[in-house]
Amino acid sequence: MENLLHVTPIVDNQFVMFSGKARWGWTALDDAARVAARVLEEGEKKHASKSYWLSTEALNGDEAAEILSEELGTKITCDTREPEELEALFNSGKTDIEITYAKNAVDIMHQIQDGRMTYMGTIRDDVPYVTGTPSTSFREWVKIHKSELLGK
């Protein structure tokens, strides 16, 4: 979700997604941090060899734009682009991103588009299982970050 604040922020009421019309899982960074903290607190006896999925909900760009529009009170649209354009963004120097991470992100976008990673659009929310507290929905996240999303 935080990509909308830093990597592909809303500019002129529009944000960019680089995976076509495919749905993929959305996760709030705070939820990932809470899971990581719990795993570190409880240690390997409980969490060794476990794999947690933090996909709170699956949305494509248009679905995310609809929620953003409703919560921000202004029409927001999604500009769907190709993975090569994400690579160009990373190479432009306009984002502060580690190069290996950037290359992997481009590869993931290719795999989401071509069907090798359709599971990325699957909802499997282990946040409540690990932390004992609910995860943050995209709508809740937008409400929390409304002023940042509106550039205020």
Side-chain angles (χ1 to χ4, degrees):
M1 295 179 194
E2 273 70 14
N3 284 345
L4 289 173
L5 298 175
H6 306 290
V7 179
T8 57
I10 298 170
V11 176
D12 296 328
N13 296 333
Q14 185 175 67
F15 67 98
V16 179
M17 284 188 68
F18 298 92
S19 58
K21 296 290 184 183
R23 281 188 168 143
W24 56 316
W26 292 70
T27 304
L29 188 56
D30 285 346
D31 288 344
R34 289 187 304 116
V35 168
R38 182 60 58 96
V39 168
L40 290 170
E41 286 172 2
E42 295 176 345
E44 65 182 288
K45 285 186 179 180
K46 184 168 183 178
H47 299 284
S49 301
K50 300 271 175 79
S51 176
Y52 300 118
W53 193 266
L54 307 181
S55 181
T56 302
E57 58 195 304
L59 302 167
N60 65 27
D62 293 336
E63 293 164 332
E66 184 177 328
I67 293 169
L68 286 161
S69 296
E70 291 169 4
E71 295 302 328
L72 300 179
T74 188
K75 178 71 173 164
I76 304 294
T77 59
C78 178
D79 178 9
T80 303
R81 296 189 185 174
E82 298 301 314
E84 292 78 17
E85 293 173 275
L86 178 61
E87 186 172 22
L89 173 65
F90 289 150
N91 291 332
S92 73
K94 293 180 182 177
T95 62
D96 183 24
I97 191 162
E98 195 276 326
I99 193 64
T100 303
Y101 179 84
K103 288 179 181 179
N104 286 329
V106 172
D107 188 46
I108 288 168
M109 294 304 111
H110 278 293
Q111 291 184 42
I112 289 171
Q113 271 195 323
D114 69 21
R116 288 180 285 162
M117 290 183 73
T118 54
Y119 63 87
M120 292 291 287
T122 302
I123 298 170
R124 180 175 158 206
D125 184 7
D126 288 333
V127 174
Y129 169 73
V130 176
T131 67
T133 59
S135 57
T136 307
S137 72
F138 184 63
R139 186 175 300 279
E140 291 167 326
W141 182 88
V142 171
K143 289 176 183 178
I144 292 166
H145 295 279
K146 184 174 183 173
S147 63
E148 293 168 274
L149 290 163
L150 290 171
K152 296 180 180 179

